[in-house]
Amino acid sequence: MSLQRNSGPASVWDHIEGIAYGGDYNPEQWPVNIRLEDLGLMKEAGVSFLSVGIFSWALLEPSEGQYDFGWLDEVMDNLAANGIKVALATATAAPPAWLVRKHPEILPVTADGTVLGPGSRRHYTPSSAVYRRYAAGITRLIAERYKNHPALALWHVDNELGCHVSEFFGEEDASAFRAWLERRYSTIEALNAAWGTAFWSQNYGSFAGILPPGVAPSTLNPGQQLDFQRFSSWALIDYYRELVAVLREVTPGIPATTNLMASSATKALDYFDWAKDLDVIANDHYLVAADPERHIELAFSADLTRGIAGGDPWILMEHSTSAVNWQPRNRPKMPGELLRNSLAHVARGADAVMFFQWRQSSSGSEKFHSAMVPHAGRETRVWHEVVGLGSSLKRLAPVKGSRVESRAAIVFDYEAWWASEIDSKPSADVKYLDVMRAFHRSLFLRGIAVDFVHPPASLEGYDLVLVCTLYSVTDAAAANIAAAARAGATVLVTYFSGIVDENDHIRLGGYPGAFREVLGIRVEEFHPLPAGGELKLSDGGVSTTWSEHVHLAGAEAVQAFSEYPLEGVPSLTRHAVGAGAAWYLATFPDRDGIESLVDRLLAESGVVPVATADAGVELVRRRAADGSSFLFAINHTRSAAAVEAAGVDLLTGTAFAGTVEAGAVAVIAED
Ligand code: GLA
């Protein structure tokens, strides 16, 4: 399925041959001789696509109304002359000093009233009318100046919206929040009902008295907190839309996007909602160097990005060639990791591979962040790997436009993430992603592709559907999930799902109200475990975090708790419904328990790995519209590994001989 996006521009992919390659290009840091040297190096590396001008406002408009586009003209002309396409930025991600001096009211304010000052970047609130006016102004000038430029392929709007600060608590934010609430609820009575303000004397007489959830003596109203999260995500994409309206007017044929940060770390922004406004999905991803399973987190991010893109190809707008500068200890990537990471993103749907940044800075905050051209120059491992990646990507041109095949789905919802982690819950240990990532990890290790699907979206074609910690769910989404089971899928629902509606009101009559019927169970009371606690299960397994008092109401018990006071109470159930089955997991099994449950679910659903390989080989298949298929086999181990596949390895151009060398990658165009 492809997302229905706003009508208009051509596809960015028409502008670029094969898989796009490049990164953020910040030439304003360098003298002209270096900029000229860059062109030769870009050719050597095979660069075809660059993001330009992201933080350039202060140089383009050094004082209000005084412009200097000369340097950017030269950069754009040189790139065009060298056949390189540009994602040209609106330059709005760092307001210039003169603007802050004149209008300090654009600065962000935190929940405790602290004003975040200039001298860094992203120091504006998206709800500032003044900031929007100035941002739209510079955007229009840039669009007018470069609208017919041959290098222009894509608009890069602002940068990582919501990075550093995603919630804003100033006066103007408060009034934008009130206006948003008024549009959402129309009447104050409807808001009072949704927020349950009859409790704790929180009733409002009008919208005028409502504030963002700032600092208070005790826990704040959960409806207010949830709506402020919705509003804050909306405020950023609404700012994006205002800039895109300008771009559409001037360049109706040029697509626009902004770089997302979809991963296990970004909670604040509802990217499934944002996707409707982006002409192509672009994502930035950085590994946590200290995580021994960082390649699995990468796969989680890439799969989630593909889900946000509705399965369409997407742009990896930023990742790093080696170390970053913002983690506590910034270790370089290991030999070959740059290729493995890049091709893992391609395997999972990226048709563009880009880095922050082209040339490593010699000054400023990010001078210790790796880049495509390192401080030490060309005689470096990083440069050799950058050049090697460029030639590998050229060989992967046939993969462009193909799509990842998957029969398994994980239901993903930012609103459920927000609602499930608002304070005052049965257990602080219930985290939205924990159970989900445990299942994703298991499927990753088995070579089973999985799509992330928004709860109301179609689940047709999926034989296995995982619904993890979907605490809040609408009636329509709950019906959609139940319908998938009735239609023949194996559906697993895990604990603390279906508890509340979209207003965070409990679905009464026994948990999990939204899924009680399809699961054939009723939960009477929650029994979260003490910190670090473990629980024995009837099959000898062990679980953590959660238990609860489950009653059967049509389902059969597959496994039970075996400790006081829940001895004999079901911990895992199965309910045959229609042509499929709905399973319920009432605890968080350890890794062995997850594996044996996944064994059962796969056996029942008939979902199988995309290929057979030795342990440690990441396997993903992309299939083109003409039926041809490409098997990506990424060897994350330090010894050679066997993979059962036949065809031509596109990276070597020779018949695949059944082995992927230590730390290497094969992309097999299958027979
Ligand atoms: C983000 C930003 C970039 C750069 C990188 C560093 O992704 O968009 O400008 O700061 O982080 O990792």
PDB file of all heavy atoms in Angstrom, residues 94-127:
ATOM      1  N   ALA A  94      18.267  27.506  12.263  1.00  0.00           N
ATOM      2  CA  ALA A  94      19.026  28.273  13.260  1.00  0.00           C
ATOM      3  C   ALA A  94      18.819  29.755  12.956  1.00  0.00           C
ATOM      4  O   ALA A  94      19.459  30.296  12.053  1.00  0.00           O
ATOM      5  CB  ALA A  94      20.507  27.901  13.211  1.00  0.00           C
ATOM      6  N   PRO A  95      17.933  30.423  13.697  1.00  0.00           N
ATOM      7  CA  PRO A  95      17.672  31.838  13.430  1.00  0.00           C
ATOM      8  C   PRO A  95      18.931  32.683  13.620  1.00  0.00           C
ATOM      9  O   PRO A  95      19.705  32.436  14.555  1.00  0.00           O
ATOM     10  CB  PRO A  95      16.627  32.230  14.476  1.00  0.00           C
ATOM     11  CG  PRO A  95      16.157  30.983  15.115  1.00  0.00           C
ATOM     12  CD  PRO A  95      17.129  29.891  14.807  1.00  0.00           C
ATOM     13  N   PRO A  96      19.135  33.677  12.762  1.00  0.00           N
ATOM     14  CA  PRO A  96      20.323  34.531  12.901  1.00  0.00           C
ATOM     15  C   PRO A  96      20.240  35.428  14.139  1.00  0.00           C
ATOM     16  O   PRO A  96      19.151  35.713  14.639  1.00  0.00           O
ATOM     17  CB  PRO A  96      20.298  35.376  11.625  1.00  0.00           C
ATOM     18  CG  PRO A  96      18.921  35.281  11.090  1.00  0.00           C
ATOM     19  CD  PRO A  96      18.319  34.016  11.598  1.00  0.00           C
ATOM     20  N   ALA A  97      21.419  35.868  14.591  1.00  0.00           N
ATOM     21  CA  ALA A  97      21.500  36.661  15.828  1.00  0.00           C
ATOM     22  C   ALA A  97      20.666  37.941  15.733  1.00  0.00           C
ATOM     23  O   ALA A  97      20.020  38.341  16.710  1.00  0.00           O
ATOM     24  CB  ALA A  97      22.963  36.988  16.126  1.00  0.00           C
ATOM     25  N   TRP A  98      20.676  38.588  14.553  1.00  0.00           N
ATOM     26  CA  TRP A  98      19.924  39.856  14.461  1.00  0.00           C
ATOM     27  C   TRP A  98      18.433  39.647  14.701  1.00  0.00           C
ATOM     28  O   TRP A  98      17.753  40.503  15.251  1.00  0.00           O
ATOM     29  CB  TRP A  98      20.181  40.561  13.120  1.00  0.00           C
ATOM     30  CG  TRP A  98      19.859  39.762  11.871  1.00  0.00           C
ATOM     31  CD1 TRP A  98      20.765  39.105  11.072  1.00  0.00           C
ATOM     32  CD2 TRP A  98      18.565  39.537  11.289  1.00  0.00           C
ATOM     33  NE1 TRP A  98      20.116  38.486  10.031  1.00  0.00           N
ATOM     34  CE2 TRP A  98      18.758  38.744  10.133  1.00  0.00           C
ATOM     35  CE3 TRP A  98      17.272  39.916  11.620  1.00  0.00           C
ATOM     36  CZ2 TRP A  98      17.703  38.317   9.324  1.00  0.00           C
ATOM     37  CZ3 TRP A  98      16.218  39.510  10.808  1.00  0.00           C
ATOM     38  CH2 TRP A  98      16.440  38.706   9.676  1.00  0.00           C
ATOM     39  N   LEU A  99      17.932  38.476  14.293  1.00  0.00           N
ATOM     40  CA  LEU A  99      16.498  38.212  14.452  1.00  0.00           C
ATOM     41  C   LEU A  99      16.162  37.999  15.946  1.00  0.00           C
ATOM     42  O   LEU A  99      15.151  38.497  16.455  1.00  0.00           O
ATOM     43  CB  LEU A  99      16.096  36.997  13.611  1.00  0.00           C
ATOM     44  CG  LEU A  99      14.649  36.517  13.729  1.00  0.00           C
ATOM     45  CD1 LEU A  99      13.650  37.638  13.494  1.00  0.00           C
ATOM     46  CD2 LEU A  99      14.381  35.373  12.737  1.00  0.00           C
ATOM     47  N   VAL A 100      17.048  37.298  16.638  1.00  0.00           N
ATOM     48  CA  VAL A 100      16.820  37.045  18.071  1.00  0.00           C
ATOM     49  C   VAL A 100      16.895  38.365  18.850  1.00  0.00           C
ATOM     50  O   VAL A 100      16.109  38.607  19.770  1.00  0.00           O
ATOM     51  CB  VAL A 100      17.853  36.042  18.612  1.00  0.00           C
ATOM     52  CG1 VAL A 100      17.650  35.803  20.107  1.00  0.00           C
ATOM     53  CG2 VAL A 100      17.771  34.725  17.859  1.00  0.00           C
ATOM     54  N   ARG A 101      17.864  39.206  18.458  1.00  0.00           N
ATOM     55  CA  ARG A 101      17.999  40.491  19.162  1.00  0.00           C
ATOM     56  C   ARG A 101      16.737  41.334  18.975  1.00  0.00           C
ATOM     57  O   ARG A 101      16.221  41.937  19.901  1.00  0.00           O
ATOM     58  CB  ARG A 101      19.228  41.225  18.626  1.00  0.00           C
ATOM     59  CG  ARG A 101      19.972  41.968  19.717  1.00  0.00           C
ATOM     60  CD  ARG A 101      21.354  42.460  19.320  1.00  0.00           C
ATOM     61  NE  ARG A 101      21.395  43.120  18.041  1.00  0.00           N
ATOM     62  CZ  ARG A 101      22.062  42.660  16.963  1.00  0.00           C
ATOM     63  NH1 ARG A 101      22.740  41.542  17.051  1.00  0.00           N
ATOM     64  NH2 ARG A 101      22.053  43.324  15.831  1.00  0.00           N
ATOM     65  N   LYS A 102      16.217  41.330  17.765  1.00  0.00           N
ATOM     66  CA  LYS A 102      15.039  42.149  17.479  1.00  0.00           C
ATOM     67  C   LYS A 102      13.763  41.531  18.061  1.00  0.00           C
ATOM     68  O   LYS A 102      12.867  42.245  18.506  1.00  0.00           O
ATOM     69  CB  LYS A 102      14.907  42.286  15.957  1.00  0.00           C
ATOM     70  CG  LYS A 102      13.769  43.179  15.529  1.00  0.00           C
ATOM     71  CD  LYS A 102      13.855  43.503  14.038  1.00  0.00           C
ATOM     72  CE  LYS A 102      12.660  44.326  13.610  1.00  0.00           C
ATOM     73  NZ  LYS A 102      12.603  44.435  12.138  1.00  0.00           N
ATOM     74  N   HIS A 103      13.690  40.197  18.053  1.00  0.00           N
ATOM     75  CA  HIS A 103      12.456  39.513  18.479  1.00  0.00           C
ATOM     76  C   HIS A 103      12.765  38.369  19.447  1.00  0.00           C
ATOM     77  O   HIS A 103      12.589  37.195  19.117  1.00  0.00           O
ATOM     78  CB  HIS A 103      11.728  38.941  17.253  1.00  0.00           C
ATOM     79  CG  HIS A 103      11.124  39.984  16.390  1.00  0.00           C
ATOM     80  ND1 HIS A 103      10.047  40.753  16.782  1.00  0.00           N
ATOM     81  CD2 HIS A 103      11.450  40.400  15.144  1.00  0.00           C
ATOM     82  CE1 HIS A 103       9.724  41.593  15.814  1.00  0.00           C
ATOM     83  NE2 HIS A 103      10.561  41.409  14.816  1.00  0.00           N
ATOM     84  N   PRO A 104      13.184  38.703  20.663  1.00  0.00           N
ATOM     85  CA  PRO A 104      13.497  37.617  21.615  1.00  0.00           C
ATOM     86  C   PRO A 104      12.286  36.743  21.935  1.00  0.00           C
ATOM     87  O   PRO A 104      12.445  35.643  22.449  1.00  0.00           O
ATOM     88  CB  PRO A 104      13.995  38.367  22.858  1.00  0.00           C
ATOM     89  CG  PRO A 104      13.558  39.787  22.683  1.00  0.00           C
ATOM     90  CD  PRO A 104      13.422  40.036  21.223  1.00  0.00           C
ATOM     91  N   GLU A 105      11.091  37.208  21.593  1.00  0.00           N
ATOM     92  CA  GLU A 105       9.887  36.406  21.878  1.00  0.00           C
ATOM     93  C   GLU A 105       9.814  35.140  21.029  1.00  0.00           C
ATOM     94  O   GLU A 105       8.962  34.281  21.280  1.00  0.00           O
ATOM     95  CB  GLU A 105       8.619  37.256  21.693  1.00  0.00           C
ATOM     96  CG  GLU A 105       8.268  37.642  20.262  1.00  0.00           C
ATOM     97  CD  GLU A 105       8.961  38.913  19.763  1.00  0.00           C
ATOM     98  OE1 GLU A 105      10.004  39.309  20.333  1.00  0.00           O
ATOM     99  OE2 GLU A 105       8.463  39.500  18.780  1.00  0.00           O
ATOM    100  N   ILE A 106      10.689  34.984  20.040  1.00  0.00           N
ATOM    101  CA  ILE A 106      10.680  33.737  19.252  1.00  0.00           C
ATOM    102  C   ILE A 106      11.353  32.580  20.004  1.00  0.00           C
ATOM    103  O   ILE A 106      11.242  31.430  19.609  1.00  0.00           O
ATOM    104  CB  ILE A 106      11.381  33.895  17.873  1.00  0.00           C
ATOM    105  CG1 ILE A 106      12.891  34.095  18.056  1.00  0.00           C
ATOM    106  CG2 ILE A 106      10.742  35.019  17.069  1.00  0.00           C
ATOM    107  CD1 ILE A 106      13.676  34.003  16.751  1.00  0.00           C
ATOM    108  N   LEU A 107      12.059  32.891  21.099  1.00  0.00           N
ATOM    109  CA  LEU A 107      12.857  31.854  21.772  1.00  0.00           C
ATOM    110  C   LEU A 107      11.972  30.824  22.477  1.00  0.00           C
ATOM    111  O   LEU A 107      10.893  31.157  22.970  1.00  0.00           O
ATOM    112  CB  LEU A 107      13.802  32.512  22.790  1.00  0.00           C
ATOM    113  CG  LEU A 107      14.916  33.368  22.177  1.00  0.00           C
ATOM    114  CD1 LEU A 107      15.636  34.164  23.267  1.00  0.00           C
ATOM    115  CD2 LEU A 107      15.905  32.515  21.390  1.00  0.00           C
ATOM    116  N   PRO A 108      12.429  29.583  22.545  1.00  0.00           N
ATOM    117  CA  PRO A 108      11.650  28.535  23.222  1.00  0.00           C
ATOM    118  C   PRO A 108      11.638  28.750  24.739  1.00  0.00           C
ATOM    119  O   PRO A 108      12.619  29.217  25.317  1.00  0.00           O
ATOM    120  CB  PRO A 108      12.414  27.244  22.902  1.00  0.00           C
ATOM    121  CG  PRO A 108      13.467  27.594  21.924  1.00  0.00           C
ATOM    122  CD  PRO A 108      13.677  29.062  21.974  1.00  0.00           C
ATOM    123  N   VAL A 109      10.532  28.351  25.364  1.00  0.00           N
ATOM    124  CA  VAL A 109      10.400  28.405  26.824  1.00  0.00           C
ATOM    125  C   VAL A 109      10.105  26.985  27.309  1.00  0.00           C
ATOM    126  O   VAL A 109       9.257  26.294  26.736  1.00  0.00           O
ATOM    127  CB  VAL A 109       9.248  29.358  27.227  1.00  0.00           C
ATOM    128  CG1 VAL A 109       9.082  29.388  28.748  1.00  0.00           C
ATOM    129  CG2 VAL A 109       9.499  30.760  26.684  1.00  0.00           C
ATOM    130  N   THR A 110      10.809  26.561  28.348  1.00  0.00           N
ATOM    131  CA  THR A 110      10.591  25.202  28.864  1.00  0.00           C
ATOM    132  C   THR A 110       9.459  25.186  29.899  1.00  0.00           C
ATOM    133  O   THR A 110       8.959  26.236  30.298  1.00  0.00           O
ATOM    134  CB  THR A 110      11.878  24.655  29.514  1.00  0.00           C
ATOM    135  OG1 THR A 110      12.195  25.500  30.616  1.00  0.00           O
ATOM    136  CG2 THR A 110      13.041  24.635  28.536  1.00  0.00           C
ATOM    137  N   ALA A 111       9.106  23.997  30.378  1.00  0.00           N
ATOM    138  CA  ALA A 111       7.972  23.835  31.302  1.00  0.00           C
ATOM    139  C   ALA A 111       8.159  24.660  32.576  1.00  0.00           C
ATOM    140  O   ALA A 111       7.192  25.160  33.145  1.00  0.00           O
ATOM    141  CB  ALA A 111       7.797  22.355  31.649  1.00  0.00           C
ATOM    142  N   ASP A 112       9.401  24.822  33.021  1.00  0.00           N
ATOM    143  CA  ASP A 112       9.619  25.595  34.257  1.00  0.00           C
ATOM    144  C   ASP A 112       9.837  27.081  33.977  1.00  0.00           C
ATOM    145  O   ASP A 112      10.244  27.836  34.858  1.00  0.00           O
ATOM    146  CB  ASP A 112      10.796  25.012  35.047  1.00  0.00           C
ATOM    147  CG  ASP A 112      12.121  25.172  34.313  1.00  0.00           C
ATOM    148  OD1 ASP A 112      12.144  25.764  33.198  1.00  0.00           O
ATOM    149  OD2 ASP A 112      13.149  24.716  34.839  1.00  0.00           O
ATOM    150  N   GLY A 113       9.594  27.514  32.748  1.00  0.00           N
ATOM    151  CA  GLY A 113       9.661  28.936  32.418  1.00  0.00           C
ATOM    152  C   GLY A 113      11.025  29.408  31.942  1.00  0.00           C
ATOM    153  O   GLY A 113      11.199  30.584  31.623  1.00  0.00           O
ATOM    154  N   THR A 114      12.004  28.512  31.872  1.00  0.00           N
ATOM    155  CA  THR A 114      13.332  28.913  31.396  1.00  0.00           C
ATOM    156  C   THR A 114      13.280  29.252  29.903  1.00  0.00           C
ATOM    157  O   THR A 114      12.726  28.489  29.108  1.00  0.00           O
ATOM    158  CB  THR A 114      14.342  27.753  31.602  1.00  0.00           C
ATOM    159  OG1 THR A 114      14.315  27.378  32.968  1.00  0.00           O
ATOM    160  CG2 THR A 114      15.746  28.146  31.182  1.00  0.00           C
ATOM    161  N   VAL A 115      13.867  30.393  29.555  1.00  0.00           N
ATOM    162  CA  VAL A 115      13.958  30.768  28.138  1.00  0.00           C
ATOM    163  C   VAL A 115      15.274  30.206  27.599  1.00  0.00           C
ATOM    164  O   VAL A 115      16.340  30.435  28.180  1.00  0.00           O
ATOM    165  CB  VAL A 115      13.937  32.306  27.973  1.00  0.00           C
ATOM    166  CG1 VAL A 115      14.119  32.690  26.511  1.00  0.00           C
ATOM    167  CG2 VAL A 115      12.637  32.877  28.523  1.00  0.00           C
ATOM    168  N   LEU A 116      15.194  29.452  26.505  1.00  0.00           N
ATOM    169  CA  LEU A 116      16.405  28.869  25.920  1.00  0.00           C
ATOM    170  C   LEU A 116      17.017  29.884  24.951  1.00  0.00           C
ATOM    171  O   LEU A 116      16.372  30.299  23.988  1.00  0.00           O
ATOM    172  CB  LEU A 116      16.071  27.561  25.208  1.00  0.00           C
ATOM    173  CG  LEU A 116      15.417  26.491  26.094  1.00  0.00           C
ATOM    174  CD1 LEU A 116      15.067  25.253  25.276  1.00  0.00           C
ATOM    175  CD2 LEU A 116      16.327  26.106  27.270  1.00  0.00           C
ATOM    176  N   GLY A 117      18.234  30.244  25.230  1.00  0.00           N
ATOM    177  CA  GLY A 117      18.851  31.347  24.498  1.00  0.00           C
ATOM    178  C   GLY A 117      19.501  30.933  23.195  1.00  0.00           C
ATOM    179  O   GLY A 117      19.556  29.749  22.858  1.00  0.00           O
ATOM    180  N   PRO A 118      20.004  31.934  22.461  1.00  0.00           N
ATOM    181  CA  PRO A 118      20.693  31.668  21.195  1.00  0.00           C
ATOM    182  C   PRO A 118      22.131  31.211  21.436  1.00  0.00           C
ATOM    183  O   PRO A 118      22.535  30.979  22.570  1.00  0.00           O
ATOM    184  CB  PRO A 118      20.649  33.022  20.497  1.00  0.00           C
ATOM    185  CG  PRO A 118      20.612  34.020  21.606  1.00  0.00           C
ATOM    186  CD  PRO A 118      19.907  33.362  22.767  1.00  0.00           C
ATOM    187  N   GLY A 119      22.898  31.077  20.359  1.00  0.00           N
ATOM    188  CA  GLY A 119      24.290  30.647  20.480  1.00  0.00           C
ATOM    189  C   GLY A 119      24.447  29.175  20.172  1.00  0.00           C
ATOM    190  O   GLY A 119      25.551  28.635  20.187  1.00  0.00           O
ATOM    191  N   SER A 120      23.337  28.498  19.891  1.00  0.00           N
ATOM    192  CA  SER A 120      23.379  27.082  19.531  1.00  0.00           C
ATOM    193  C   SER A 120      22.591  26.947  18.224  1.00  0.00           C
ATOM    194  O   SER A 120      22.964  27.555  17.217  1.00  0.00           O
ATOM    195  CB  SER A 120      22.775  26.271  20.679  1.00  0.00           C
ATOM    196  OG  SER A 120      22.703  24.914  20.331  1.00  0.00           O
ATOM    197  N   ARG A 121      21.509  26.198  18.226  1.00  0.00           N
ATOM    198  CA  ARG A 121      20.653  26.101  17.048  1.00  0.00           C
ATOM    199  C   ARG A 121      19.240  25.743  17.496  1.00  0.00           C
ATOM    200  O   ARG A 121      19.027  25.453  18.677  1.00  0.00           O
ATOM    201  CB  ARG A 121      21.195  25.077  16.050  1.00  0.00           C
ATOM    202  CG  ARG A 121      21.242  23.655  16.597  1.00  0.00           C
ATOM    203  CD  ARG A 121      21.731  22.665  15.537  1.00  0.00           C
ATOM    204  NE  ARG A 121      21.777  21.316  16.082  1.00  0.00           N
ATOM    205  CZ  ARG A 121      22.165  20.256  15.387  1.00  0.00           C
ATOM    206  NH1 ARG A 121      22.552  20.385  14.123  1.00  0.00           N
ATOM    207  NH2 ARG A 121      22.177  19.061  15.933  1.00  0.00           N
ATOM    208  N   ARG A 122      18.288  25.774  16.598  1.00  0.00           N
ATOM    209  CA  ARG A 122      16.895  25.419  16.867  1.00  0.00           C
ATOM    210  C   ARG A 122      16.278  26.257  17.991  1.00  0.00           C
ATOM    211  O   ARG A 122      15.410  25.789  18.716  1.00  0.00           O
ATOM    212  CB  ARG A 122      16.745  23.926  17.196  1.00  0.00           C
ATOM    213  CG  ARG A 122      17.280  22.978  16.138  1.00  0.00           C
ATOM    214  CD  ARG A 122      16.477  21.702  16.035  1.00  0.00           C
ATOM    215  NE  ARG A 122      15.068  22.003  15.908  1.00  0.00           N
ATOM    216  CZ  ARG A 122      14.486  22.453  14.805  1.00  0.00           C
ATOM    217  NH1 ARG A 122      15.180  22.595  13.715  1.00  0.00           N
ATOM    218  NH2 ARG A 122      13.211  22.758  14.800  1.00  0.00           N
ATOM    219  N   HIS A 123      16.704  27.550  18.112  1.00  0.00           N
ATOM    220  CA  HIS A 123      16.216  28.389  19.209  1.00  0.00           C
ATOM    221  C   HIS A 123      15.014  29.227  18.760  1.00  0.00           C
ATOM    222  O   HIS A 123      15.085  30.437  18.660  1.00  0.00           O
ATOM    223  CB  HIS A 123      17.342  29.274  19.753  1.00  0.00           C
ATOM    224  CG  HIS A 123      18.209  29.897  18.708  1.00  0.00           C
ATOM    225  ND1 HIS A 123      19.161  29.183  18.015  1.00  0.00           N
ATOM    226  CD2 HIS A 123      18.251  31.159  18.217  1.00  0.00           C
ATOM    227  CE1 HIS A 123      19.754  29.988  17.149  1.00  0.00           C
ATOM    228  NE2 HIS A 123      19.211  31.188  17.243  1.00  0.00           N
ATOM    229  N   TYR A 124      13.942  28.525  18.466  1.00  0.00           N
ATOM    230  CA  TYR A 124      12.688  29.222  18.158  1.00  0.00           C
ATOM    231  C   TYR A 124      11.547  28.287  18.516  1.00  0.00           C
ATOM    232  O   TYR A 124      11.721  27.068  18.588  1.00  0.00           O
ATOM    233  CB  TYR A 124      12.615  29.593  16.666  1.00  0.00           C
ATOM    234  CG  TYR A 124      12.512  28.386  15.769  1.00  0.00           C
ATOM    235  CD1 TYR A 124      11.270  27.793  15.509  1.00  0.00           C
ATOM    236  CD2 TYR A 124      13.655  27.796  15.214  1.00  0.00           C
ATOM    237  CE1 TYR A 124      11.175  26.657  14.719  1.00  0.00           C
ATOM    238  CE2 TYR A 124      13.557  26.658  14.426  1.00  0.00           C
ATOM    239  CZ  TYR A 124      12.315  26.092  14.189  1.00  0.00           C
ATOM    240  OH  TYR A 124      12.215  24.959  13.422  1.00  0.00           O
ATOM    241  N   THR A 125      10.375  28.868  18.743  1.00  0.00           N
ATOM    242  CA  THR A 125       9.193  28.028  18.906  1.00  0.00           C
ATOM    243  C   THR A 125       8.388  28.045  17.608  1.00  0.00           C
ATOM    244  O   THR A 125       8.223  29.113  16.997  1.00  0.00           O
ATOM    245  CB  THR A 125       8.303  28.476  20.086  1.00  0.00           C
ATOM    246  OG1 THR A 125       7.040  27.800  19.959  1.00  0.00           O
ATOM    247  CG2 THR A 125       8.058  29.971  20.105  1.00  0.00           C
ATOM    248  N   PRO A 126       7.870  26.888  17.200  1.00  0.00           N
ATOM    249  CA  PRO A 126       7.148  26.829  15.930  1.00  0.00           C
ATOM    250  C   PRO A 126       5.825  27.599  15.977  1.00  0.00           C
ATOM    251  O   PRO A 126       5.239  27.868  14.936  1.00  0.00           O
ATOM    252  CB  PRO A 126       6.887  25.332  15.736  1.00  0.00           C
ATOM    253  CG  PRO A 126       6.927  24.754  17.115  1.00  0.00           C
ATOM    254  CD  PRO A 126       7.947  25.577  17.857  1.00  0.00           C
ATOM    255  N   SER A 127       5.362  27.964  17.170  1.00  0.00           N
ATOM    256  CA  SER A 127       4.092  28.701  17.261  1.00  0.00           C
ATOM    257  C   SER A 127       4.294  30.210  17.245  1.00  0.00           C
ATOM    258  O   SER A 127       3.321  30.957  17.344  1.00  0.00           O
ATOM    259  CB  SER A 127       3.330  28.295  18.527  1.00  0.00           C
ATOM    260  OG  SER A 127       2.973  26.930  18.456  1.00  0.00           O
TER     261      SER A 127
END
